[in-house]
Structures are given as C-alpha cells and as structure tokens.
Amino acid sequence: MTARQLIRVLIRRWYVVLACMLLTVGALNLATSVNGVYWTQVDAVLLPPNSTNSIEYQNASLVHFAAIIERELNGGSDTAKKSASRAPLYGTGVRNGYKITLPNSGGQWSSNFNRAVLAVEVVGSSPERVDQMRVEVLARINDLIRNKQQSLGAAPRDLITVLESPAQPVIRYAEGNQRRASAAVGIMGAGIAIAASRLVDGALNLRRRRHRAPARVAEPAPV
C-alpha cells in the first residue's frame, strides 16, 4: 500500500482514527500523571566470625551461606540468575516493595558470585515508608542468619555477622522520563490507528464485494 492509498484509507475511516486518538489521549494523560517513587539501596555484607582470621577465612564459604540466606528470604525461588540486571527495582514497574539479591558479577553467558553480599533495594511512596521497609528487611536478614547458625549449634564467637553498607543509605526520588513516555504512547497510538483503519477498511470492502456478487443459480439435474 502506497502512502497515498494509506491516507485515503485514514480519511475514509476517520471514525476509527478518531477513536484511537481519544484512547491515545487518555493513555498520555495516564502516563504523564504517574508520580515518582522513593528508592534506596543498601548492602548487607556478611563478615566472617571474630574467632577466625578474616584473611584465611574462605570467601567461598561466606558466598555459599549468603546464597542459602538469599534463597530462603525469597521463598525458595532462584533469583540469583536474574541479579545481574542493572535495572533498578522501580524500573521494573514496582512502586511499593523490596528485592533481595546475591550480586552477580558475571556476564550474559556465565554467572560469577564472588561477593558475600545481599543487595537490598526498597521502593515506596514516601521516604518514611522506604526507611521503615529497609529496617524491617535488614532485621529479617540478621534474624535468619543468626537463627540458622544457632540451630546448627554455633557458638556466639563463631557466628557470621552482618554489616550494613552504607550505614546511612541515601533515599532518592525517582521520576520517570515523561517526554520519553509520551513519545512512546504517541507512536503506539499512531500505529494502532493505522492498523485498525486498514483492518476495518479491508473487512468492509470484503463485505461489500460479497453483497454485490451475483447469486449463482443451480442448474437443473439431468433427466
């Protein structure tokens, strides 16, 4: 279909274009009226027991223990494979919640878990809400680490401890790019208007041709 033919279709099916434009305007208002969210990130760093030499202590053991904790905190689901993503939590559409991951420093084709750290991201509607969730999540991490070691009979001096880094995390306000969102909605609306107009035009033309076609008279059966 040439550009001239497409313009004729859009003019002929103007009501379809108008309906798509109204829907696009509504989507634009919705996209530009969404407020931003508050977000923070903090690391729960697992430290070796005070009774051991931190230099000689096997880091692999700490990483393995951190992986166990991460899986239990996430209900048994394996989120480690997804933790290499650099997209922040609010970038995935979450507006109120948190995420706990074991950082993956590997590339696209392989994973590399070499840090005994649980990365915590928190998203909320207010700084107070974000800070409250951060405290609650870190308390859960500390409680689970301590209880799991105590259930194995570890002495207090042999317990793995947790260090929050940074000690005073910064809570930032994250706001989406409204110009980019508006452009995306506009392009999508235009594409839908063109596709819908062509579909309606083709269906109506086909129906018109069928109505104009002469009825076929059945020939008498030979005697």
Side-chain angles (χ1 to χ4, degrees):
M1 177 177 288
T2 64
R4 180 174 298 180
Q5 290 174 328
L6 179 59
I7 293 175
R8 289 177 178 175
V9 170
L10 296 177
I11 295 175
R12 191 161 53 241
R13 307 304 170 193
W14 61 269
Y15 47 88
V16 178
V17 177
L18 179 60
C20 293
M21 287 178 59
L22 293 176
L23 292 175
T24 302
V25 170
L28 281 172
N29 291 333
L30 181 62
T32 56
S33 62
V34 176
N35 296 325
V37 293
Y38 292 90
W39 170 85
T40 191
Q41 181 174 0
V42 62
D43 289 339
V45 183
L46 275 66
L47 302 178
N50 294 327
S51 60
T52 63
N53 187 327
S54 59
I55 298 178
E56 297 177 355
Y57 196 86
Q58 293 294 328
N59 184 61
S61 301
L62 277 177
V63 174
H64 180 70
F65 185 72
I68 295 174
I69 299 299
E70 184 260 354
R71 176 164 294 193
E72 290 198 20
L73 288 170
N74 289 310
S77 61
D78 189 8
T79 61
K81 294 181 180 179
K82 304 177 183 178
S83 61
S85 173
R86 297 295 183 264
L89 183 58
Y90 60 83
T92 62
V94 178
R95 303 188 61 81
N96 187 43
Y98 64 89
K99 179 175 69 172
I100 304 172
T101 55
L102 183 68
N104 180 7
S105 59
Q108 181 180 1
W109 306 110
S110 62
S111 300
N112 183 24
F113 303 99
N114 55 8
R115 297 175 59 211
V117 174
L118 295 176
V120 179
E121 287 186 73
V122 182
V123 173
S125 57
S126 67
E128 295 77 16
R129 176 59 180 160
V130 170
D131 194 56
Q132 178 185 358
M133 280 195 291
R134 176 190 64 82
V135 173
E136 293 174 353
V137 172
L138 289 171
R140 285 186 57 200
I141 293 175
N142 277 282
D143 290 343
L144 181 57
I145 290 177
R146 182 177 61 255
N147 293 338
K148 181 168 288 294
Q149 294 180 94
Q150 290 178 347
S151 66
L152 297 174
R157 66 186 186 90
D158 296 329
L159 294 180
I160 296 172
T161 55
V162 178
L163 173 67
E164 181 180 351
S165 177
Q168 295 294 331
V170 178
I171 299 177
R172 298 180 175 88
Y173 182 72
E175 187 175 16
N177 191 321
Q178 294 186 354
R179 183 175 301 176
R180 184 179 301 174
S182 299
V185 172
I187 294 173
M188 187 180 300
I192 293 175
I194 294 174
S197 299
R198 293 185 60 182
L199 182 63
V200 171
D201 189 71
L204 292 179
N205 289 338
L206 179 61
R207 182 180 179 184
R208 187 180 300 109
R209 286 194 297 268
R210 286 179 177 176
H211 280 234
R212 290 179 178 177
R216 301 183 61 181
V217 181
E219 298 181 357
V223 179

